[in-house]
């Protein structure tokens, strides 16, 4: 298990060979939420507890938990790659945004397979 989902939160898991412990952290949020355990089953339990504790802490602080994304992505690519993407979008008869969304979706489907 390298990643898991609970209540719309995702976590990444690794093994720390020096300390001989499994470690995990929530991903996709700016807040730092990490947890650890000695066993895989313990790690799963620690993940659930970390999410529940995070939600409780946010509620207590009057803070909205980080989860939603705006749908706007800004990243830099080389001018050559940018030009190739625009041409590919034009040839597909769609906007660069639509082409980029389709391409990212396809890449994510391949990663999940």
């Amino acid at each position: 298990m390298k990643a898991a989902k609970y209540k719309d939160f995702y976590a990444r898991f690794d093994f720390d060979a020096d300390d001989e412990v499994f470690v995990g952290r929530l991903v996709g949020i700016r807040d730092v939420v990490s947890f650890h355990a000695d066993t895989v089953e313990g790690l799963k339990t620690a993940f659930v507890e970390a999410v529940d504790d995070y939600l409780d802490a946010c509620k207590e602080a009057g803070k909205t938990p980080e989860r939603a994304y705006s749908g706007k992505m800004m990243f830099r690519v080389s001018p050559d790659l940018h030009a190739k993407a625009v041409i590919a979008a034009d040839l597909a008869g769609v906007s660069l945004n639509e082409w980029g969304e389709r391409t990212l979706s396809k890449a994510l489907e391949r990663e999940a397979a």
Side-chain angles (χ1 to χ4, degrees):
M1 171 178 44
K2 290 188 178 186
K5 178 182 175 186
Y6 172 68
K7 290 188 178 179
D8 292 330
F9 287 92
Y10 291 86
R12 176 182 171 85
F13 303 113
D14 293 298
F15 181 72
D16 182 332
D18 293 335
D19 293 333
E20 295 184 349
V21 66
F22 293 100
V23 294
R25 68 176 181 85
L26 297 188
V27 296
I29 62 173
R30 287 184 299 267
D31 290 325
V32 178
V33 180
S34 59
F35 47 93
H36 67 278
D38 296 332
T39 65
V40 173
E41 283 305 313
L43 189 65
K44 291 177 184 178
T45 300
F47 169 44
V48 168
E49 289 172 355
V51 170
D52 290 340
D53 289 348
Y54 174 64
L55 292 172
D56 290 344
C58 287
K59 185 177 181 179
E60 189 174 303
K63 174 185 173 184
T64 301
E66 293 183 43
R67 282 194 282 193
Y69 294 90
S70 68
K72 296 179 185 178
M73 295 177 67
M74 300 285 289
F75 53 93
R76 298 187 189 283
V77 297
S78 70
D80 185 53
L81 183 60
H82 190 170
K84 288 177 181 177
V86 168
I87 291 167
D90 281 345
L91 290 173
V94 297
S95 69
L96 180 58
N97 283 335
E98 187 174 342
W99 182 86
E101 184 173 355
R102 287 181 185 175
T103 303
L104 282 172
S105 292
K106 288 177 187 174
L108 289 170
E109 287 172 11
R110 282 192 309 272
E111 289 290 321

PDB file of all heavy atoms in Angstrom, residues 29-67:
ATOM      1  N   ILE A  29      -2.932  18.918   0.626  1.00  0.00           N
ATOM      2  CA  ILE A  29      -3.283  20.045   1.492  1.00  0.00           C
ATOM      3  C   ILE A  29      -1.984  20.712   1.947  1.00  0.00           C
ATOM      4  O   ILE A  29      -0.929  20.076   1.976  1.00  0.00           O
ATOM      5  CB  ILE A  29      -4.126  19.621   2.723  1.00  0.00           C
ATOM      6  CG1 ILE A  29      -3.354  18.663   3.621  1.00  0.00           C
ATOM      7  CG2 ILE A  29      -5.450  19.014   2.273  1.00  0.00           C
ATOM      8  CD1 ILE A  29      -4.067  18.335   4.928  1.00  0.00           C
ATOM      9  N   ARG A  30      -2.082  22.002   2.293  1.00  0.00           N
ATOM     10  CA  ARG A  30      -0.897  22.721   2.760  1.00  0.00           C
ATOM     11  C   ARG A  30      -0.595  22.412   4.222  1.00  0.00           C
ATOM     12  O   ARG A  30       0.551  22.471   4.650  1.00  0.00           O
ATOM     13  CB  ARG A  30      -1.070  24.226   2.557  1.00  0.00           C
ATOM     14  CG  ARG A  30      -0.969  24.644   1.094  1.00  0.00           C
ATOM     15  CD  ARG A  30      -1.041  26.151   0.956  1.00  0.00           C
ATOM     16  NE  ARG A  30      -2.303  26.675   1.446  1.00  0.00           N
ATOM     17  CZ  ARG A  30      -3.383  26.884   0.708  1.00  0.00           C
ATOM     18  NH1 ARG A  30      -3.346  26.625  -0.578  1.00  0.00           N
ATOM     19  NH2 ARG A  30      -4.484  27.361   1.234  1.00  0.00           N
ATOM     20  N   ASP A  31      -1.631  22.103   5.003  1.00  0.00           N
ATOM     21  CA  ASP A  31      -1.404  21.748   6.398  1.00  0.00           C
ATOM     22  C   ASP A  31      -0.568  20.478   6.458  1.00  0.00           C
ATOM     23  O   ASP A  31      -0.679  19.602   5.607  1.00  0.00           O
ATOM     24  CB  ASP A  31      -2.736  21.508   7.125  1.00  0.00           C
ATOM     25  CG  ASP A  31      -3.525  22.793   7.321  1.00  0.00           C
ATOM     26  OD1 ASP A  31      -2.898  23.853   7.531  1.00  0.00           O
ATOM     27  OD2 ASP A  31      -4.767  22.727   7.279  1.00  0.00           O
ATOM     28  N   VAL A  32       0.279  20.380   7.460  1.00  0.00           N
ATOM     29  CA  VAL A  32       1.120  19.200   7.621  1.00  0.00           C
ATOM     30  C   VAL A  32       0.445  18.253   8.605  1.00  0.00           C
ATOM     31  O   VAL A  32       0.274  18.573   9.776  1.00  0.00           O
ATOM     32  CB  VAL A  32       2.529  19.570   8.126  1.00  0.00           C
ATOM     33  CG1 VAL A  32       3.360  18.320   8.341  1.00  0.00           C
ATOM     34  CG2 VAL A  32       3.206  20.509   7.145  1.00  0.00           C
ATOM     35  N   VAL A  33       0.030  17.111   8.111  1.00  0.00           N
ATOM     36  CA  VAL A  33      -0.601  16.078   8.930  1.00  0.00           C
ATOM     37  C   VAL A  33       0.133  14.779   8.642  1.00  0.00           C
ATOM     38  O   VAL A  33       0.072  14.256   7.531  1.00  0.00           O
ATOM     39  CB  VAL A  33      -2.107  15.936   8.622  1.00  0.00           C
ATOM     40  CG1 VAL A  33      -2.727  14.855   9.484  1.00  0.00           C
ATOM     41  CG2 VAL A  33      -2.832  17.264   8.817  1.00  0.00           C
ATOM     42  N   SER A  34       0.855  14.286   9.650  1.00  0.00           N
ATOM     43  CA  SER A  34       1.597  13.048   9.464  1.00  0.00           C
ATOM     44  C   SER A  34       1.266  12.077  10.582  1.00  0.00           C
ATOM     45  O   SER A  34       0.700  12.454  11.603  1.00  0.00           O
ATOM     46  CB  SER A  34       3.101  13.329   9.417  1.00  0.00           C
ATOM     47  OG  SER A  34       3.518  13.949  10.616  1.00  0.00           O
ATOM     48  N   PHE A  35       1.644  10.821  10.385  1.00  0.00           N
ATOM     49  CA  PHE A  35       1.330   9.772  11.343  1.00  0.00           C
ATOM     50  C   PHE A  35       2.279   8.611  11.096  1.00  0.00           C
ATOM     51  O   PHE A  35       2.975   8.570  10.079  1.00  0.00           O
ATOM     52  CB  PHE A  35      -0.129   9.325  11.210  1.00  0.00           C
ATOM     53  CG  PHE A  35      -0.549   9.071   9.791  1.00  0.00           C
ATOM     54  CD1 PHE A  35      -0.465   7.806   9.245  1.00  0.00           C
ATOM     55  CD2 PHE A  35      -0.990  10.117   8.985  1.00  0.00           C
ATOM     56  CE1 PHE A  35      -0.817   7.573   7.927  1.00  0.00           C
ATOM     57  CE2 PHE A  35      -1.346   9.891   7.661  1.00  0.00           C
ATOM     58  CZ  PHE A  35      -1.264   8.609   7.135  1.00  0.00           C
ATOM     59  N   HIS A  36       2.345   7.699  12.027  1.00  0.00           N
ATOM     60  CA  HIS A  36       3.239   6.553  11.878  1.00  0.00           C
ATOM     61  C   HIS A  36       2.704   5.356  12.656  1.00  0.00           C
ATOM     62  O   HIS A  36       1.851   5.496  13.529  1.00  0.00           O
ATOM     63  CB  HIS A  36       4.655   6.894  12.351  1.00  0.00           C
ATOM     64  CG  HIS A  36       4.732   7.145  13.815  1.00  0.00           C
ATOM     65  ND1 HIS A  36       4.394   8.355  14.376  1.00  0.00           N
ATOM     66  CD2 HIS A  36       5.072   6.333  14.840  1.00  0.00           C
ATOM     67  CE1 HIS A  36       4.550   8.287  15.680  1.00  0.00           C
ATOM     68  NE2 HIS A  36       4.957   7.066  16.000  1.00  0.00           N
ATOM     69  N   ALA A  37       3.259   4.180  12.353  1.00  0.00           N
ATOM     70  CA  ALA A  37       2.875   2.952  13.044  1.00  0.00           C
ATOM     71  C   ALA A  37       3.915   1.870  12.751  1.00  0.00           C
ATOM     72  O   ALA A  37       4.688   1.984  11.799  1.00  0.00           O
ATOM     73  CB  ALA A  37       1.491   2.486  12.598  1.00  0.00           C
ATOM     74  N   ASP A  38       3.892   0.837  13.564  1.00  0.00           N
ATOM     75  CA  ASP A  38       4.831  -0.270  13.415  1.00  0.00           C
ATOM     76  C   ASP A  38       4.349  -1.340  12.441  1.00  0.00           C
ATOM     77  O   ASP A  38       5.147  -2.150  11.973  1.00  0.00           O
ATOM     78  CB  ASP A  38       5.085  -0.938  14.767  1.00  0.00           C
ATOM     79  CG  ASP A  38       5.764   0.000  15.749  1.00  0.00           C
ATOM     80  OD1 ASP A  38       6.489   0.906  15.297  1.00  0.00           O
ATOM     81  OD2 ASP A  38       5.570  -0.171  16.960  1.00  0.00           O
ATOM     82  N   THR A  39       3.040  -1.357  12.158  1.00  0.00           N
ATOM     83  CA  THR A  39       2.475  -2.381  11.277  1.00  0.00           C
ATOM     84  C   THR A  39       1.610  -1.712  10.214  1.00  0.00           C
ATOM     85  O   THR A  39       1.195  -0.560  10.372  1.00  0.00           O
ATOM     86  CB  THR A  39       1.588  -3.370  12.059  1.00  0.00           C
ATOM     87  OG1 THR A  39       0.452  -2.663  12.573  1.00  0.00           O
ATOM     88  CG2 THR A  39       2.360  -4.028  13.195  1.00  0.00           C
ATOM     89  N   VAL A  40       1.320  -2.467   9.172  1.00  0.00           N
ATOM     90  CA  VAL A  40       0.451  -1.946   8.116  1.00  0.00           C
ATOM     91  C   VAL A  40      -0.945  -1.679   8.679  1.00  0.00           C
ATOM     92  O   VAL A  40      -1.537  -0.632   8.415  1.00  0.00           O
ATOM     93  CB  VAL A  40       0.389  -2.912   6.915  1.00  0.00           C
ATOM     94  CG1 VAL A  40      -0.651  -2.456   5.901  1.00  0.00           C
ATOM     95  CG2 VAL A  40       1.755  -3.022   6.254  1.00  0.00           C
ATOM     96  N   GLU A  41      -1.465  -2.612   9.453  1.00  0.00           N
ATOM     97  CA  GLU A  41      -2.795  -2.414  10.049  1.00  0.00           C
ATOM     98  C   GLU A  41      -2.788  -1.194  10.967  1.00  0.00           C
ATOM     99  O   GLU A  41      -3.732  -0.413  10.981  1.00  0.00           O
ATOM    100  CB  GLU A  41      -3.251  -3.663  10.808  1.00  0.00           C
ATOM    101  CG  GLU A  41      -3.730  -4.775   9.903  1.00  0.00           C
ATOM    102  CD  GLU A  41      -4.829  -4.349   8.939  1.00  0.00           C
ATOM    103  OE1 GLU A  41      -5.808  -3.696   9.364  1.00  0.00           O
ATOM    104  OE2 GLU A  41      -4.715  -4.672   7.747  1.00  0.00           O
ATOM    105  N   GLY A  42      -1.718  -1.037  11.730  1.00  0.00           N
ATOM    106  CA  GLY A  42      -1.594   0.134  12.601  1.00  0.00           C
ATOM    107  C   GLY A  42      -1.523   1.418  11.802  1.00  0.00           C
ATOM    108  O   GLY A  42      -2.060   2.447  12.211  1.00  0.00           O
ATOM    109  N   LEU A  43      -0.874   1.365  10.648  1.00  0.00           N
ATOM    110  CA  LEU A  43      -0.772   2.547   9.790  1.00  0.00           C
ATOM    111  C   LEU A  43      -2.140   2.944   9.252  1.00  0.00           C
ATOM    112  O   LEU A  43      -2.483   4.123   9.205  1.00  0.00           O
ATOM    113  CB  LEU A  43       0.200   2.280   8.645  1.00  0.00           C
ATOM    114  CG  LEU A  43       0.564   3.485   7.794  1.00  0.00           C
ATOM    115  CD1 LEU A  43       1.322   4.525   8.605  1.00  0.00           C
ATOM    116  CD2 LEU A  43       1.392   3.045   6.604  1.00  0.00           C
ATOM    117  N   LYS A  44      -2.931   1.946   8.857  1.00  0.00           N
ATOM    118  CA  LYS A  44      -4.287   2.238   8.377  1.00  0.00           C
ATOM    119  C   LYS A  44      -5.105   2.912   9.481  1.00  0.00           C
ATOM    120  O   LYS A  44      -5.807   3.897   9.226  1.00  0.00           O
ATOM    121  CB  LYS A  44      -4.982   0.954   7.924  1.00  0.00           C
ATOM    122  CG  LYS A  44      -4.412   0.347   6.670  1.00  0.00           C
ATOM    123  CD  LYS A  44      -5.121  -0.969   6.355  1.00  0.00           C
ATOM    124  CE  LYS A  44      -4.538  -1.676   5.176  1.00  0.00           C
ATOM    125  NZ  LYS A  44      -5.206  -2.966   4.916  1.00  0.00           N
ATOM    126  N   THR A  45      -5.009   2.390  10.682  1.00  0.00           N
ATOM    127  CA  THR A  45      -5.730   2.972  11.820  1.00  0.00           C
ATOM    128  C   THR A  45      -5.226   4.376  12.105  1.00  0.00           C
ATOM    129  O   THR A  45      -6.020   5.294  12.340  1.00  0.00           O
ATOM    130  CB  THR A  45      -5.561   2.077  13.067  1.00  0.00           C
ATOM    131  OG1 THR A  45      -6.093   0.784  12.778  1.00  0.00           O
ATOM    132  CG2 THR A  45      -6.262   2.662  14.267  1.00  0.00           C
ATOM    133  N   ALA A  46      -3.909   4.565  12.069  1.00  0.00           N
ATOM    134  CA  ALA A  46      -3.326   5.884  12.334  1.00  0.00           C
ATOM    135  C   ALA A  46      -3.765   6.899  11.283  1.00  0.00           C
ATOM    136  O   ALA A  46      -3.987   8.076  11.597  1.00  0.00           O
ATOM    137  CB  ALA A  46      -1.802   5.781  12.380  1.00  0.00           C
ATOM    138  N   PHE A  47      -3.911   6.461  10.034  1.00  0.00           N
ATOM    139  CA  PHE A  47      -4.375   7.337   8.957  1.00  0.00           C
ATOM    140  C   PHE A  47      -5.788   7.829   9.248  1.00  0.00           C
ATOM    141  O   PHE A  47      -6.068   9.033   9.196  1.00  0.00           O
ATOM    142  CB  PHE A  47      -4.300   6.595   7.623  1.00  0.00           C
ATOM    143  CG  PHE A  47      -4.977   7.270   6.459  1.00  0.00           C
ATOM    144  CD1 PHE A  47      -4.837   8.626   6.226  1.00  0.00           C
ATOM    145  CD2 PHE A  47      -5.740   6.528   5.577  1.00  0.00           C
ATOM    146  CE1 PHE A  47      -5.454   9.233   5.136  1.00  0.00           C
ATOM    147  CE2 PHE A  47      -6.355   7.121   4.486  1.00  0.00           C
ATOM    148  CZ  PHE A  47      -6.215   8.479   4.268  1.00  0.00           C
ATOM    149  N   VAL A  48      -6.672   6.918   9.565  1.00  0.00           N
ATOM    150  CA  VAL A  48      -8.061   7.284   9.876  1.00  0.00           C
ATOM    151  C   VAL A  48      -8.093   8.236  11.071  1.00  0.00           C
ATOM    152  O   VAL A  48      -8.785   9.262  11.042  1.00  0.00           O
ATOM    153  CB  VAL A  48      -8.907   6.015  10.141  1.00  0.00           C
ATOM    154  CG1 VAL A  48     -10.253   6.370  10.746  1.00  0.00           C
ATOM    155  CG2 VAL A  48      -9.086   5.225   8.850  1.00  0.00           C
ATOM    156  N   GLU A  49      -7.324   7.924  12.101  1.00  0.00           N
ATOM    157  CA  GLU A  49      -7.288   8.788  13.289  1.00  0.00           C
ATOM    158  C   GLU A  49      -6.719  10.160  12.960  1.00  0.00           C
ATOM    159  O   GLU A  49      -7.202  11.173  13.466  1.00  0.00           O
ATOM    160  CB  GLU A  49      -6.452   8.128  14.390  1.00  0.00           C
ATOM    161  CG  GLU A  49      -7.119   6.919  15.008  1.00  0.00           C
ATOM    162  CD  GLU A  49      -6.218   6.157  15.966  1.00  0.00           C
ATOM    163  OE1 GLU A  49      -5.009   6.501  16.095  1.00  0.00           O
ATOM    164  OE2 GLU A  49      -6.715   5.198  16.589  1.00  0.00           O
ATOM    165  N   ALA A  50      -5.707  10.216  12.081  1.00  0.00           N
ATOM    166  CA  ALA A  50      -5.108  11.501  11.700  1.00  0.00           C
ATOM    167  C   ALA A  50      -6.119  12.380  10.971  1.00  0.00           C
ATOM    168  O   ALA A  50      -6.210  13.591  11.230  1.00  0.00           O
ATOM    169  CB  ALA A  50      -3.869  11.272  10.839  1.00  0.00           C
ATOM    170  N   VAL A  51      -6.882  11.784  10.069  1.00  0.00           N
ATOM    171  CA  VAL A  51      -7.904  12.557   9.347  1.00  0.00           C
ATOM    172  C   VAL A  51      -8.974  13.049  10.318  1.00  0.00           C
ATOM    173  O   VAL A  51      -9.338  14.231  10.314  1.00  0.00           O
ATOM    174  CB  VAL A  51      -8.541  11.726   8.208  1.00  0.00           C
ATOM    175  CG1 VAL A  51      -9.768  12.437   7.631  1.00  0.00           C
ATOM    176  CG2 VAL A  51      -7.524  11.451   7.109  1.00  0.00           C
ATOM    177  N   ASP A  52      -9.464  12.151  11.167  1.00  0.00           N
ATOM    178  CA  ASP A  52     -10.491  12.542  12.132  1.00  0.00           C
ATOM    179  C   ASP A  52      -9.976  13.618  13.084  1.00  0.00           C
ATOM    180  O   ASP A  52     -10.684  14.586  13.379  1.00  0.00           O
ATOM    181  CB  ASP A  52     -10.996  11.323  12.909  1.00  0.00           C
ATOM    182  CG  ASP A  52     -11.822  10.377  12.042  1.00  0.00           C
ATOM    183  OD1 ASP A  52     -12.319  10.804  10.978  1.00  0.00           O
ATOM    184  OD2 ASP A  52     -11.967   9.203  12.439  1.00  0.00           O
ATOM    185  N   ASP A  53      -8.734  13.474  13.544  1.00  0.00           N
ATOM    186  CA  ASP A  53      -8.138  14.491  14.425  1.00  0.00           C
ATOM    187  C   ASP A  53      -7.984  15.822  13.703  1.00  0.00           C
ATOM    188  O   ASP A  53      -8.223  16.893  14.273  1.00  0.00           O
ATOM    189  CB  ASP A  53      -6.776  14.028  14.944  1.00  0.00           C
ATOM    190  CG  ASP A  53      -6.875  12.900  15.957  1.00  0.00           C
ATOM    191  OD1 ASP A  53      -7.996  12.616  16.445  1.00  0.00           O
ATOM    192  OD2 ASP A  53      -5.825  12.288  16.258  1.00  0.00           O
ATOM    193  N   TYR A  54      -7.586  15.775  12.431  1.00  0.00           N
ATOM    194  CA  TYR A  54      -7.435  16.995  11.633  1.00  0.00           C
ATOM    195  C   TYR A  54      -8.780  17.705  11.495  1.00  0.00           C
ATOM    196  O   TYR A  54      -8.877  18.920  11.690  1.00  0.00           O
ATOM    197  CB  TYR A  54      -6.860  16.651  10.253  1.00  0.00           C
ATOM    198  CG  TYR A  54      -6.807  17.818   9.299  1.00  0.00           C
ATOM    199  CD1 TYR A  54      -6.012  18.924   9.550  1.00  0.00           C
ATOM    200  CD2 TYR A  54      -7.570  17.820   8.125  1.00  0.00           C
ATOM    201  CE1 TYR A  54      -5.959  19.995   8.679  1.00  0.00           C
ATOM    202  CE2 TYR A  54      -7.523  18.879   7.241  1.00  0.00           C
ATOM    203  CZ  TYR A  54      -6.721  19.970   7.519  1.00  0.00           C
ATOM    204  OH  TYR A  54      -6.676  21.036   6.658  1.00  0.00           O
ATOM    205  N   LEU A  55      -9.819  16.948  11.192  1.00  0.00           N
ATOM    206  CA  LEU A  55     -11.150  17.538  11.046  1.00  0.00           C
ATOM    207  C   LEU A  55     -11.630  18.134  12.369  1.00  0.00           C
ATOM    208  O   LEU A  55     -12.201  19.228  12.403  1.00  0.00           O
ATOM    209  CB  LEU A  55     -12.146  16.501  10.529  1.00  0.00           C
ATOM    210  CG  LEU A  55     -11.903  16.031   9.095  1.00  0.00           C
ATOM    211  CD1 LEU A  55     -12.816  14.859   8.751  1.00  0.00           C
ATOM    212  CD2 LEU A  55     -12.079  17.168   8.108  1.00  0.00           C
ATOM    213  N   ASP A  56     -11.380  17.429  13.489  1.00  0.00           N
ATOM    214  CA  ASP A  56     -11.750  17.947  14.811  1.00  0.00           C
ATOM    215  C   ASP A  56     -10.983  19.224  15.141  1.00  0.00           C
ATOM    216  O   ASP A  56     -11.557  20.187  15.658  1.00  0.00           O
ATOM    217  CB  ASP A  56     -11.494  16.897  15.897  1.00  0.00           C
ATOM    218  CG  ASP A  56     -12.460  15.721  15.841  1.00  0.00           C
ATOM    219  OD1 ASP A  56     -13.520  15.852  15.171  1.00  0.00           O
ATOM    220  OD2 ASP A  56     -12.142  14.681  16.450  1.00  0.00           O
ATOM    221  N   ALA A  57      -9.685  19.240  14.849  1.00  0.00           N
ATOM    222  CA  ALA A  57      -8.857  20.419  15.124  1.00  0.00           C
ATOM    223  C   ALA A  57      -9.319  21.615  14.303  1.00  0.00           C
ATOM    224  O   ALA A  57      -9.370  22.744  14.804  1.00  0.00           O
ATOM    225  CB  ALA A  57      -7.389  20.110  14.848  1.00  0.00           C
ATOM    226  N   CYS A  58      -9.660  21.375  13.039  1.00  0.00           N
ATOM    227  CA  CYS A  58     -10.161  22.461  12.190  1.00  0.00           C
ATOM    228  C   CYS A  58     -11.476  23.003  12.734  1.00  0.00           C
ATOM    229  O   CYS A  58     -11.675  24.220  12.798  1.00  0.00           O
ATOM    230  CB  CYS A  58     -10.345  21.982  10.752  1.00  0.00           C
ATOM    231  SG  CYS A  58      -8.800  21.728   9.866  1.00  0.00           S
ATOM    232  N   LYS A  59     -12.357  22.104  13.137  1.00  0.00           N
ATOM    233  CA  LYS A  59     -13.652  22.523  13.683  1.00  0.00           C
ATOM    234  C   LYS A  59     -13.458  23.348  14.943  1.00  0.00           C
ATOM    235  O   LYS A  59     -14.067  24.402  15.113  1.00  0.00           O
ATOM    236  CB  LYS A  59     -14.511  21.290  13.977  1.00  0.00           C
ATOM    237  CG  LYS A  59     -15.911  21.616  14.438  1.00  0.00           C
ATOM    238  CD  LYS A  59     -16.717  20.342  14.627  1.00  0.00           C
ATOM    239  CE  LYS A  59     -18.131  20.663  15.062  1.00  0.00           C
ATOM    240  NZ  LYS A  59     -18.940  19.445  15.236  1.00  0.00           N
ATOM    241  N   GLU A  60     -12.571  22.882  15.807  1.00  0.00           N
ATOM    242  CA  GLU A  60     -12.302  23.581  17.065  1.00  0.00           C
ATOM    243  C   GLU A  60     -11.701  24.967  16.824  1.00  0.00           C
ATOM    244  O   GLU A  60     -11.990  25.911  17.542  1.00  0.00           O
ATOM    245  CB  GLU A  60     -11.350  22.741  17.911  1.00  0.00           C
ATOM    246  CG  GLU A  60     -11.172  23.248  19.316  1.00  0.00           C
ATOM    247  CD  GLU A  60     -10.329  22.306  20.148  1.00  0.00           C
ATOM    248  OE1 GLU A  60     -10.711  21.120  20.253  1.00  0.00           O
ATOM    249  OE2 GLU A  60      -9.296  22.752  20.679  1.00  0.00           O
ATOM    250  N   ALA A  61     -10.873  25.083  15.789  1.00  0.00           N
ATOM    251  CA  ALA A  61     -10.228  26.350  15.464  1.00  0.00           C
ATOM    252  C   ALA A  61     -11.104  27.244  14.598  1.00  0.00           C
ATOM    253  O   ALA A  61     -10.724  28.378  14.285  1.00  0.00           O
ATOM    254  CB  ALA A  61      -8.902  26.097  14.760  1.00  0.00           C
ATOM    255  N   GLY A  62     -12.282  26.747  14.183  1.00  0.00           N
ATOM    256  CA  GLY A  62     -13.153  27.526  13.305  1.00  0.00           C
ATOM    257  C   GLY A  62     -12.595  27.654  11.901  1.00  0.00           C
ATOM    258  O   GLY A  62     -12.887  28.606  11.188  1.00  0.00           O
ATOM    259  N   LYS A  63     -11.784  26.691  11.506  1.00  0.00           N
ATOM    260  CA  LYS A  63     -11.116  26.711  10.205  1.00  0.00           C
ATOM    261  C   LYS A  63     -11.759  25.680   9.285  1.00  0.00           C
ATOM    262  O   LYS A  63     -12.112  24.587   9.716  1.00  0.00           O
ATOM    263  CB  LYS A  63      -9.644  26.371  10.399  1.00  0.00           C
ATOM    264  CG  LYS A  63      -8.868  26.219   9.133  1.00  0.00           C
ATOM    265  CD  LYS A  63      -7.441  25.770   9.424  1.00  0.00           C
ATOM    266  CE  LYS A  63      -6.770  25.472   8.103  1.00  0.00           C
ATOM    267  NZ  LYS A  63      -5.444  24.950   8.256  1.00  0.00           N
ATOM    268  N   THR A  64     -11.887  26.021   8.027  1.00  0.00           N
ATOM    269  CA  THR A  64     -12.386  25.068   7.038  1.00  0.00           C
ATOM    270  C   THR A  64     -11.242  24.142   6.645  1.00  0.00           C
ATOM    271  O   THR A  64     -10.176  24.626   6.266  1.00  0.00           O
ATOM    272  CB  THR A  64     -12.914  25.801   5.792  1.00  0.00           C
ATOM    273  OG1 THR A  64     -13.956  26.682   6.182  1.00  0.00           O
ATOM    274  CG2 THR A  64     -13.431  24.817   4.764  1.00  0.00           C
ATOM    275  N   PRO A  65     -11.437  22.844   6.743  1.00  0.00           N
ATOM    276  CA  PRO A  65     -10.371  21.922   6.330  1.00  0.00           C
ATOM    277  C   PRO A  65     -10.035  22.108   4.861  1.00  0.00           C
ATOM    278  O   PRO A  65     -10.917  22.379   4.042  1.00  0.00           O
ATOM    279  CB  PRO A  65     -10.980  20.533   6.554  1.00  0.00           C
ATOM    280  CG  PRO A  65     -12.117  20.746   7.484  1.00  0.00           C
ATOM    281  CD  PRO A  65     -12.623  22.134   7.227  1.00  0.00           C
ATOM    282  N   GLU A  66      -8.775  21.982   4.544  1.00  0.00           N
ATOM    283  CA  GLU A  66      -8.356  22.114   3.151  1.00  0.00           C
ATOM    284  C   GLU A  66      -8.754  20.867   2.390  1.00  0.00           C
ATOM    285  O   GLU A  66      -8.399  19.765   2.759  1.00  0.00           O
ATOM    286  CB  GLU A  66      -6.839  22.272   3.077  1.00  0.00           C
ATOM    287  CG  GLU A  66      -6.342  23.562   3.669  1.00  0.00           C
ATOM    288  CD  GLU A  66      -4.843  23.680   3.508  1.00  0.00           C
ATOM    289  OE1 GLU A  66      -4.327  23.351   2.427  1.00  0.00           O
ATOM    290  OE2 GLU A  66      -4.198  24.086   4.467  1.00  0.00           O
ATOM    291  N   ARG A  67      -9.532  21.035   1.340  1.00  0.00           N
ATOM    292  CA  ARG A  67      -9.899  19.908   0.487  1.00  0.00           C
ATOM    293  C   ARG A  67     -10.189  20.350  -0.927  1.00  0.00           C
ATOM    294  O   ARG A  67      -9.793  19.685  -1.850  1.00  0.00           O
ATOM    295  CB  ARG A  67     -11.127  19.170   1.038  1.00  0.00           C
ATOM    296  CG  ARG A  67     -10.800  18.269   2.177  1.00  0.00           C
ATOM    297  CD  ARG A  67     -11.929  17.348   2.443  1.00  0.00           C
ATOM    298  NE  ARG A  67     -12.973  18.067   3.167  1.00  0.00           N
ATOM    299  CZ  ARG A  67     -13.982  17.509   3.755  1.00  0.00           C
ATOM    300  NH1 ARG A  67     -14.134  16.218   3.707  1.00  0.00           N
ATOM    301  NH2 ARG A  67     -14.876  18.199   4.404  1.00  0.00           N
TER     302      ARG A  67
END
